[in-house]
């Protein structure tokens, strides 16, 4: 039997049982061992994305149908392979430890063909979003290419976070990398501000320290002093406490001071609200790049001359490509990166864990352990 939690808009999860699914011809069934709880599971539960001037809904896409089994941070073992998959192929066998690249879209358009699934119009098809995800004891995966083998040096409870929080921040850091390398060449040193020191931010910190030039100062900003303490322990070169009592002018002043030469050459915003995006932007040097990651939502106002006279770039990233997940798994295995603090919950207790994530009461990441 398969046990799964299902979600419908704004109601508690419901535990259900059905038969273990049959593997699709070109795909596989994973027996789930760990499944991460991501903040976007909460957005899905509320069926809402704040666009600033209006709210949009997952169900605006007619192909997206509740109820759904959430969960897109899935690690486990291959339980069975499809009829068209060679069971003796070296790259994937029953029993292998794997993570799933959950961002599976239509599979037939030009973007999907090039594995640029995030650009596909049917990106809502992914595991835990449009098709059943990891809050279940078994998960159906359409094609075996979406399964990435996990080397023994990465514990599966760490591996489960790589397809979303890990991959998103890997994409953010590598998107920022060319701009920072260029400024490093020109100036000799640079600084990068990472906004949000939760689970996503701590992954980002680890990756930024490994990937960006050694002469880059990495500073983390957060409203929570405890999170910043963990960030310092994990290698941040500096922190900025965005105390709620600060005026905007004061917050920007202390942020700029935390950079090098009174500002930052790069920003990765993992919250991405009006306040964080505007503060980040206003704390940058000319020639900087800002990467927007978070899904907090809302709108922000930027003075347009700041882009022209300031030669600034702002870019959004949405999770990452399959090839990037393979690169990330190899990097984490080689560098033994330290994951954010983890708290484990049972499948039966998944709804309580989601409520804690919703209320911002979690340090690091929550993971369902099977
Ligand atoms: Zn996620
Ligand atoms: Zn497509």
């Amino acid at each position: 039997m398969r046990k799964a939690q299902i979600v419908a808009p704004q109601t508690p999860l419901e535990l259900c049982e059905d038969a273990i699914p049959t593997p699709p011809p070109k795909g596989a069934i994973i027996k789930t061992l760990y499944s991460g709880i991501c903040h976007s599971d909460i957005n899905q539960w509320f069926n809402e994305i704040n666009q600033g001037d209006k709210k949009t809904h997952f169900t605006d896409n007619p192909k997206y149908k509740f109820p759904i089994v959430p969960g897109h941070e899935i690690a486990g073992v291959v339980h069975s392979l499809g009829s068209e998959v060679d069971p003796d192929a070296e790259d994937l066998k029953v029993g292998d430890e794997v993570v799933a690249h959950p961002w599976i879209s239509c599979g037939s358009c030009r973007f999907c063909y090039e594995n640029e699934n995030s650009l596909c119009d049917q990106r809502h098809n992914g595991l835990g979003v449009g098709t059943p995800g990891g809050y279940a004891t078994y998960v159906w995966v359409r094609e075996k290419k979406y399964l990435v083998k996990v080397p023994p040096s990465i514990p599966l409870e760490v591996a489960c976070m790589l397809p979303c929080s890990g991959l998103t921040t890997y994409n953010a850091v590598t998107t920022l990398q060319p701009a920072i390398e260029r400024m490093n060449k020109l100036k000799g040193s640079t600084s990068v501000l990472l906004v949000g020191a939760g689970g996503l931010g701590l992954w980002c910190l680890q990756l930024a320290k490994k990937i960006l030039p050694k002469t880059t100062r990495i500073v983390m900003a957060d409203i929570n002093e405890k999170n910043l303490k963990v960030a310092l322990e994990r290698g941040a070169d500096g922190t900025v406490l965005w105390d709620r009592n600060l005026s905007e002018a004061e917050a920007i002043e202390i942020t700029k001071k935390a950079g090098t030469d009174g500002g930052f050459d790069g920003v990765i915003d993992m919250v991405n609200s009006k306040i964080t995006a505007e503060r980040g932007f206003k704390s940058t040097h000319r020639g900087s790049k800002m990467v927007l990651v978070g899904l907090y939502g809302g709108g922000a106002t930027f003075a347009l001359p700041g882009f022209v006279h300031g030669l600034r770039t702002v870019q959004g990233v949405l999770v990452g490509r399959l090839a990037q997940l393979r690169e990330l798994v190899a990097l984490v295995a080689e560098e033994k990166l330290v994951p954010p603090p983890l708290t484990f919950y049972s499948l039966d207790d998944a709804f309580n864990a989601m409520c804690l994530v919703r209320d911002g009461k979690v340090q690091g990441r929550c993971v369902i352990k099977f």
Side-chain angles (χ1 to χ4, degrees):
M1 291 300 276
R2 179 183 80 143
K3 240 173 123 181
Q5 290 278 15
I6 54 173
V7 69
Q10 310 201 14
T11 55
L13 294 180
E14 195 186 319
L15 197 64
C16 66
E17 275 193 349
D18 55 12
I20 297 172
T22 314
K26 292 181 166 52
I29 302 296
I30 310 176
K31 186 178 195 304
T32 318
L33 294 178
Y34 294 95
S35 184
I37 296 178
C38 176
H39 207 282
S40 49
D41 300 346
I42 314 300
N43 292 345
Q44 178 176 247
W45 167 26
F46 283 95
N47 187 25
E48 211 167 79
I49 298 169
N50 179 5
Q51 304 281 6
D53 51 346
K54 62 173 180 160
K55 291 201 162 123
T56 54
H57 309 275
F58 285 82
T59 44
D60 292 342
N61 179 345
K63 293 208 165 107
Y64 188 95
K65 288 188 175 57
F66 278 113
I68 187 82
V69 179
H72 52 264
E73 296 195 341
I74 305 159
V77 293
V78 177
H79 170 76
S80 55
L81 295 166
S83 56
E84 292 175 25
V85 178
D86 175 4
D88 299 319
E90 271 309 307
D91 60 340
L92 196 74
K93 286 192 168 72
V94 168
D96 280 349
E97 293 194 337
V98 290
V99 287
H101 184 257
W103 316 113
I104 302 168
S105 31
C106 82
S108 52
C109 76
R110 189 72 206 162
F111 298 121
C112 288
Y113 181 72
E114 298 287 347
N115 285 321
E116 292 279 2
N117 299 39
S118 301
L119 288 169
C120 175
D121 284 340
Q122 290 179 41
R123 61 188 179 280
H124 294 94
N125 276 356
L127 296 177
V129 186
T131 50
Y135 291 23
T137 48
Y138 295 89
V139 179
W140 182 96
V141 180
R142 193 179 69 205
E143 283 178 69
K144 81 165 190 176
K145 72 170 181 182
Y146 293 111
L147 297 178
V148 177
K149 266 215 262 194
V150 178
S153 61
I154 310 180
L156 275 189
E157 67 261 38
V158 174
C160 77
M161 291 175 286
L162 298 180
C164 182
S165 46
L167 181 60
T168 301
T169 49
Y170 179 74
N171 194 358
V173 172
T174 50
T175 297
L176 190 60
Q177 185 182 7
I180 296 301
E181 284 175 348
R182 178 169 174 268
M183 287 314 254
N184 248 288
K185 248 188 194 166
L186 294 167
K187 293 164 55 172
S189 65
T190 45
S191 55
V192 169
L193 179 68
L194 307 181
V195 179
L200 206 60
L202 293 175
W203 272 118
C204 197
L205 171 63
Q206 295 274 311
L207 293 165
K209 293 293 275 183
K210 287 289 169 204
I211 293 168
L212 298 179
K214 296 291 164 242
T215 45
T216 306
R217 177 175 162 77
I218 312 285
V219 175
M220 298 201 80
D222 201 291
I223 53 172
N224 181 325
E225 220 171 342
K226 260 194 201 163
N227 287 356
L228 292 177
K229 198 170 160 267
V230 178
L232 279 177
E233 288 163 7
R234 301 288 171 102
D237 300 305
T239 57
V240 189
L241 178 63
W242 280 352
D243 191 282
R244 291 180 197 271
N245 297 319
L246 292 172
S247 69
E248 273 317 290
E250 287 167 338
I252 292 162
E253 196 192 324
I254 60 162
T255 307
K256 285 168 102 167
K257 270 192 190 153
T260 41
D261 304 323
F264 288 90
D265 305 288
V267 178
I268 298 176
D269 188 349
M270 280 152 292
V271 180
N272 210 12
S273 68
K274 175 179 175 62
I275 289 178
T276 63
E278 290 179 1
R279 273 183 198 174
F281 187 78
K282 287 175 183 167
S283 304
T284 55
H285 286 306
R286 295 180 69 233
S288 63
K289 180 160 185 164
M290 183 158 159
V291 178
L292 304 180
V293 172
L295 286 169
Y296 187 92
T301 307
F302 302 105
L304 296 176
F307 291 95
V308 181
H309 292 292
L311 300 146
R312 291 180 174 86
T313 313
V314 177
Q315 185 173 344
V317 304
L318 178 63
V319 293
R321 296 183 294 278
L322 178 58
Q324 288 176 305
L325 178 59
R326 293 186 190 281
E327 288 165 19
L328 175 65
V329 169
L331 181 77
V332 173
E334 196 183 301
E335 300 286 351
K336 300 189 176 57
L337 299 184
V338 184
L342 302 179
T343 318
F344 296 103
Y345 293 85
S346 66
L347 181 64
D348 292 358
D349 218 15
F351 186 66
N352 287 335
M354 280 177 85
C355 293
L356 293 172
V357 174
R358 173 197 64 191
D359 299 339
K361 289 191 174 146
V362 175
Q363 201 163 42
R365 297 293 277 191
C366 287
V367 171
I368 301 171
K369 184 176 177 177
F370 290 80

